[in-house]
Amino acid sequence: MESMYDCYKLNNGVRIPCIGFGTYKAAAGNGAEGIETALRAGYRYFDTAAFYQNEEDIGRAVIRSGIDRKELFLSSKVWSGDLGEEGTRRSFENSLEKLQTDYLDLYLIHWPCPNHDYKDWKHLVLETWKVMEELCREGRIRAAGVSNFLPQHLEVLAENSEMVPAVDQIEFHPGHTQEMTVSYCQERGIIVQAWSPLGRKRVLEHELLTELSEKYGVSPAQLCIRYAVQRGVIPLPKASSYDRMKQNQDVFGFEISREDMYRIGTMPPAGWSGEHPDFARVRF
Ligand code: A2P
């Protein structure tokens, strides 16, 4: 990968940029402006979700930009409260309408279970996945995937359905690299994406990242993003200023050594959000 426009090929042949722009809470408050700034900064891949309540802002910003829809990669997610056939269909149509588009490049199941003690989640996930397969066949989404699925959730799809998810979007950053899930996915051709690749800033002052950012002459944020890229993971960083948006794309002029990749990958746990698909929010 030599720029954020370079692409991976998903398991169905669709090309996906190696860096995207994360929008959770980014567009809230400043409306479509943040997205317009990100478009101006060069981002073309936007990751959103019904839950983020910013699809309208993204749709408006995209229309105002005049950029050809085909140059953009738009991804959204069905919320855990809407899993199942009817909810997924309805949520999908709402997302399209808000985004002012007639197709999505990628559509994801946001979480595997409505809540941690919901018993019949397997049934719900399979029903939702069937809708994803239909949407792919109908040409309304170019690829389907999941988010926050651990191997035990992915196994349910593997054992009961034909289509393999194209991506799994998980929390991934130095201090929380979820290697078990990453290797499970990568062995099966599922591309891993990183939400919160900067650990929502919680890891940026960690002493190892400070040391290495001085060594490579980059910021800790750039180090985190480059770490994901070298691990074959698609980072979806958020930022609210133009300068940070640009800085977060500027990660192709240095390479983290193998030794330092191991040091980052094995650093003590840090910066985890506490969100685990099988548990109520974990306090620590
Ligand atoms: P801000 O919105 O003020 O730009 P994550 O993507 O891991 O969730 O992290 C998002 C947080 O990281 C945001 O609070 C954002 O702050 C901050 N951030 C984004 N880019 C950078 C950067 N290059 N340097 C420092 N902080 C950054």
Side-chain angles (χ1 to χ4, degrees), residues 24-232:
Y24 181 43
K25 288 187 180 162
N30 54 4
E33 255 170 63
I35 305 299
E36 278 171 15
T37 309
L39 283 163
R40 214 158 25 82
Y43 287 96
R44 293 295 178 266
Y45 172 9
F46 291 88
D47 176 79
T48 183
F51 182 75
Y52 300 172
Q53 297 195 344
N54 60 8
E55 290 169 312
E56 270 169 344
D57 290 333
I58 294 173
R60 249 195 311 274
V62 163
I63 297 291
R64 265 192 233 152
S65 74
I67 295 170
D68 188 352
R69 170 70 182 86
K70 288 202 186 68
E71 282 181 38
L72 296 161
F73 193 98
L74 297 181
S75 173
S76 191
K77 312 183 190 79
V78 55
W79 182 238
S80 39
D82 287 322
L83 295 182
E85 188 177 347
E86 211 188 302
T88 304
R89 280 273 171 193
R90 192 182 49 237
S91 181
F92 175 71
E93 298 301 338
N94 274 338
S95 289
L96 283 194
E97 197 182 321
K98 288 180 174 165
L99 286 163
Q100 302 191 50
T101 183
D102 54 8
Y103 72 95
L104 289 182
D105 295 280
L106 181 64
Y107 196 42
L108 311 181
I109 301 181
H110 206 143
W111 290 90
C113 332
N115 56 61
H116 69 283
D117 53 12
Y118 191 90
K119 296 282 180 286
D120 204 13
W121 65 270
K122 292 182 184 172
H123 174 79
L124 264 189
V125 160
L126 287 173
E127 210 179 276
T128 306
W129 196 242
K130 239 175 78 192
V131 177
M132 294 289 195
E133 289 177 325
E134 286 164 12
L135 291 171
C136 275
R137 272 199 302 275
E138 293 162 10
R140 306 194 73 203
I141 60 179
R142 296 176 66 226
V146 296
S147 180
N148 301 302
F149 273 46
L150 305 177
Q152 63 268 32
H153 309 118
L154 288 160
E155 284 284 287
V156 174
L157 296 182
E159 283 164 11
N160 296 286
S161 54
E162 285 286 301
M163 187 171 74
V164 178
V167 312
D168 187 6
Q169 185 181 127
I170 58 173
E171 179 174 356
F172 175 98
H173 51 75
H176 189 69
T177 50
Q178 306 210 59
E179 282 302 328
M180 173 74 85
T181 302
V182 172
S183 54
Y184 178 96
C185 288
Q186 293 187 340
E187 281 160 18
R188 290 160 180 80
I190 300 169
I191 298 233
V192 177
Q193 307 189 306
W195 63 260
S196 272
L198 314 178
R200 288 223 181 115
K201 279 204 295 206
R202 287 181 291 258
V203 293
L204 298 184
E205 286 175 18
H206 190 281
E207 57 184 9
L208 176 63
L209 298 188
T210 312
E211 175 202 321
L212 294 179
S213 65
E214 275 166 26
K215 171 176 170 183
Y216 290 99
V218 296
S219 72
Q222 287 170 310
L223 198 67
C224 291
I225 294 168
R226 178 75 200 182
Y227 180 77
V229 171
Q230 281 187 223
R231 194 65 190 83

Side-chain angles (χ1 to χ4, degrees), residues 196-201 204 221 236-241 244 247-248:
S196 272
L198 314 178
R200 288 223 181 115
K201 279 204 295 206
L204 298 184
L236 304 165
K238 306 189 266 299
S240 39
S241 77
R244 282 177 167 176
Q247 186 199 114
N248 295 348

